[in-house]
Amino acid sequence: MSKGTITALLKNVPLFEDFSEEELDSIAPLFHERTYKKGAFLFFEGDVGNEFYLIESGFVKISKLEDEKEITLALFRDGDFFGEMALVQKGFTRSATAETLERSKIYKLNRNDFHEFMLSSPKLCLNLLEVSMGRLRKANEQIHDLTFLDVRSRILKNIHRLSEDYGKPVQGGLLIDLKLTHQQLANIVGTVRETVTKVLQELQDRKVIVIENKRIIVTNLEKLKQY
């Protein structure tokens, strides 16, 4: 692992964005690099959480089972991080399962290695609180959507959300740079694959999106917002 590589990654992580180069260089050696193949499980729901994860490259799904049905809670890509709650509470158990959806290079930070650094840095504690509150708000919004929105609205809203989080401008629209199957989209919104397929076809017929190589390109963002 190159210290320069992990330091460059940490600069873009909200937990560490206020830190100096010297401070980042001091914490960089605490991270350990691992490469995972597609379909690898990083942890399971109920496991004791002792590690924080930072993705250099790859794609990770966070999910849980409810009545034997998988629900996708979050998707993380290059530069994203997860597992931060394990750094706060000793013996904290995982509330969901993490699985790679493609080959991924990930840096892991052990709670014990990190704890002393956190105790000496009030701003890190504040950043961690801010990040946790932001993710809690997103979780509350997801619960609200699952409770009060119909399936079609949930699909449309999640396509819009994915375009905000992972959209890249391309000729003709905004590319959602995630290769997702219809079943994976269904797991995000809490429905069945057939419903997702029907709504995606409707959006294609209305010239709101196109799908190329399992990636969605939003060609008319304003119309998507209206729907």
Side-chain angles (χ1 to χ4, degrees):
M1 175 186 69
S2 165
K3 182 190 286 189
T5 299
I6 187 63
T7 297
L9 276 173
L10 290 174
K11 287 179 180 177
N12 297 312
V13 176
L15 287 180
F16 306 103
E17 61 185 2
D18 301 327
F19 283 63
S20 67
E21 191 91 11
E22 182 179 355
E23 288 173 315
L24 294 177
D25 283 342
S26 69
I27 195 174
L30 301 180
F31 283 83
H32 304 282
E33 179 186 326
R34 283 284 308 273
T35 299
Y36 297 89
K37 64 181 181 180
K38 177 181 178 181
F41 290 94
L42 306 179
F43 54 78
F44 293 93
E45 183 177 352
D47 286 351
V48 175
N50 287 314
E51 292 171 316
F52 168 85
Y53 298 83
L54 174 60
I55 304 173
E56 179 180 348
S57 61
F59 189 14
V60 175
K61 172 185 69 176
I62 308 296
S63 65
K64 67 182 304 168
L65 289 177
E66 293 286 349
D67 298 324
E68 299 185 356
K69 181 179 180 181
E70 181 181 295
I71 299 175
T72 298
L73 303 176
L75 299 169
F76 295 118
R77 289 235 58 166
D78 305 5
D80 288 334
F81 64 93
F82 57 96
E84 68 279 358
M85 293 307 297
L87 301 179
V88 179
Q89 184 178 357
K90 187 175 182 180
F92 186 83
T93 57
R94 302 292 188 185
S95 58
T97 297
E99 178 187 2
T100 58
L101 295 183
E102 63 184 40
R103 182 178 175 85
S104 303
K105 182 185 287 187
I106 296 174
Y107 292 100
K108 302 190 332 183
L109 177 64
N110 186 276
R111 180 186 183 276
N112 292 332
D113 291 337
F114 183 69
H115 199 236
E116 287 186 17
F117 189 89
M118 184 171 66
L119 289 176
S120 65
S121 177
K123 65 181 177 182
L124 179 56
C125 296
L126 289 173
N127 287 350
L128 183 58
L129 178 61
E130 186 175 341
V131 166
S132 299
M133 293 303 294
R135 291 190 166 176
L136 179 60
R137 282 193 294 271
K138 282 189 175 182
N140 287 339
E141 183 180 358
Q142 189 173 12
I143 292 170
H144 174 275
D145 292 349
L146 289 169
T147 304
F148 296 107
L149 296 184
D150 59 63
V151 172
R152 182 177 181 276
S153 296
R154 295 203 303 269
I155 295 171
L156 295 173
K157 185 171 182 179
N158 274 275
I159 291 173
H160 180 258
R161 182 182 292 138
L162 290 171
S163 72
E164 288 185 322
D165 292 343
Y166 301 103
K168 293 184 177 180
V170 295
Q171 184 175 2
L174 195 63
L175 170 68
I176 298 175
D177 194 22
L178 298 173
K179 186 175 285 188
L180 293 170
T181 66
H182 290 192
Q183 184 60 59
Q184 287 167 338
L185 280 171
N187 292 344
I188 293 173
V189 300
T191 187
V192 295
R193 177 182 54 80
E194 291 79 6
T195 303
V196 169
T197 299
K198 179 180 179 180
V199 173
L200 291 179
Q201 186 59 56
E202 173 197 340
L203 293 176
Q204 289 182 90
D205 293 343
R206 292 174 180 266
K207 311 298 183 185
V208 176
I209 67 169
V210 295
I211 298 178
E212 296 180 358
N213 298 320
K214 294 185 180 179
R215 286 182 168 88
I216 297 172
I217 300 175
V218 179
T219 55
N220 194 325
L221 188 59
E222 289 306 313
K223 189 176 287 188
L224 176 62
K225 291 178 181 178
Q226 291 172 13
Y227 288 155

